[in-house]
Amino acid sequence: MSAVPSPSTAAPILRVDALTLAFGGVKALNGVGFDVQPGSITAVIGPNGAGKTSLFNTISGFYRPTAGSVQFEGADITRVPAPRRAAMGLARSFQNIALFRGMTVLDNIKLGRHAHLKTNVFEALFYVGRARREEAELRRDVEECIIDFLEIDHIRHASVAALPYGLRKRVEMARALAMQPKVLMLDEPVAGMNREETEDMARFILDVRREWGITVLMVEHDMAMVMDLSDHVVVLNFGQVIAQGRPQEVQANPDVVRAYLGAGDVSTLRAKLRGAAAAA
Ligand SMILES: Nc1ncnc2c1ncn2[C@@H]1O[C@H](COP(=O)(O)OP(=O)(O)OP(=O)(O)O)[C@@H](O)[C@H]1O
Ligand SMILES: [Mg+2]
């Protein structure tokens, strides 16, 4: 798709407002708010335990927030169940890969497609009748489009359990794409990847946005990738947004530098962030 909306002018496709999530005494999220503009690549960063995955789980409906709201395309979806959110167009991957390991790549991707069609991934495991008639369209969609796009044709019949980590991550992304999302949520898409795998994944993320106009919301620790790809960066620390803005603004923010280093060597991280920007 050619007409990607300008990130700064459109109404937000996703709005997180004053989200609070408590686990017993621990506030994993404490008044988190930000907008995701349509067609943008928005990154959520922050130190370990900052609340990034909790945020993803709350946005996708796996956790119910203690307070605050999640709005998708202008509608309040805070109380909408997770499978329904997925069918509405919020698809996600997981920090720890959540594929069906005993199944093939293709079957895993089909599950994503069925989740979209029927809103129930488990029902899709036993699909009959109507869903069967959708098989032809399904094959065309899945095999010709997503598998080609992600360059996983050579492994379509391979068992997921047998694949190296980088490829499994790619299959997980394929499954999320099979849901035909409006917003693709990626939790640490390049964690554990080598440089080549990371570069491939970065290219796929850019292409997802450019070719299909899909908005991307990602959690990522790889600073070079975040600075390179993102239009907007949200920084979490101890469950709160401590900074947000364009990558250059965020990396110059002293609070961000401090959050990453604690009381440590600020100049080292500054140099690292600058290096990441220069490499972009
Ligand atoms: N299911 C849970 N039960 C209790 N506490 C939890 C649960 N999930 C997360 N927490 C706590 O909430 C806080 C935020 O955790 P979260 O996993 O969201 O952080 P994160 O930013 O994703 O970290 P990482 O970078 O290590 O993935 C932590 O203090 C964590 O221990
Ligand atoms: Mg996490």
Side-chain angles (χ1 to χ4, degrees), residues 36-89:
V36 175
Q37 298 299 336
S40 72
I41 296 178
T42 298
V44 178
I45 67 170
N48 292 117
K52 304 179 297 296
T53 297
S54 300
L55 173 67
F56 260 39
N57 284 336
T58 310
I59 293 174
S60 53
F62 289 96
Y63 293 162
R64 185 62 55 86
T66 323
S69 69
V70 180
Q71 290 151 48
F72 182 61
E73 296 189 304
D76 189 326
I77 60 163
T78 317
R79 309 210 154 267
V80 172
R84 177 86 200 114
R85 293 188 206 198
M88 288 169 86

Side-chain angles (χ1 to χ4, degrees), residues 89-266:
L90 265 176
R92 67 168 294 179
S93 74
F94 291 83
Q95 181 170 3
N96 301 305
I97 294 171
L99 294 169
F100 290 90
R101 292 172 58 87
M103 290 166 56
T104 67
V105 167
L106 186 57
D107 286 340
N108 266 282
I109 295 169
K110 282 181 178 177
L111 271 184
R113 179 74 180 139
H114 282 297
H116 171 73
L117 292 173
K118 298 166 76 75
T119 81
N120 184 336
V121 76
F122 298 106
E123 195 183 325
L125 277 168
F126 307 101
Y127 72 97
V128 287
R130 182 175 69 91
R132 244 184 230 292
R133 291 193 295 277
E134 288 162 344
E135 191 73 24
E137 182 202 349
L138 196 79
R139 270 184 205 285
R140 200 168 50 243
D141 273 15
V142 171
E143 296 181 16
E144 302 314 319
C145 198
I146 295 167
I147 288 181
D148 275 3
F149 175 75
L150 287 172
E151 298 166 14
I152 48 178
D153 188 39
H154 58 298
I155 53 160
R156 78 167 72 195
H157 298 299
S159 163
V160 161
L163 295 177
Y165 180 82
L167 276 178
R168 266 188 277 152
K169 274 288 212 194
R170 216 188 282 180
V171 174
E172 210 195 19
M173 185 178 184
R175 189 175 63 179
L177 281 176
M179 300 175 81
Q180 298 183 301
K182 293 171 182 167
V183 175
L184 178 65
M185 297 172 61
L186 302 170
D187 196 351
E188 303 204 17
V190 304
M193 288 189 177
N194 65 32
R195 193 181 171 81
E196 192 188 338
E197 291 168 333
T198 299
E199 283 171 3
D200 282 345
M201 185 54 85
R203 177 165 53 86
F204 291 132
I205 292 170
L206 284 172
D207 284 351
V208 158
R209 187 258 297 269
R210 197 189 61 213
E211 290 187 22
W212 294 335
I214 297 174
T215 305
V216 177
L217 176 63
M218 65 175 176
V219 164
E220 187 47 63
H221 278 293
D222 184 320
M223 267 327 144
M225 163 137 157
V226 166
M227 296 301 163
D228 195 4
L229 263 55
S230 311
D231 303 299
H232 190 75
V233 180
V234 178
V235 189
L236 283 187
N237 195 25
F238 296 115
Q240 293 184 302
V241 175
I242 59 164
Q244 60 175 314
R246 304 187 70 77
Q248 301 91 316
E249 295 162 3
V250 161
Q251 72 185 9
N253 186 316
D255 291 338
V256 176
V257 177
R258 235 175 276 123
Y260 271 92
L261 277 189
D265 178 6
V266 172

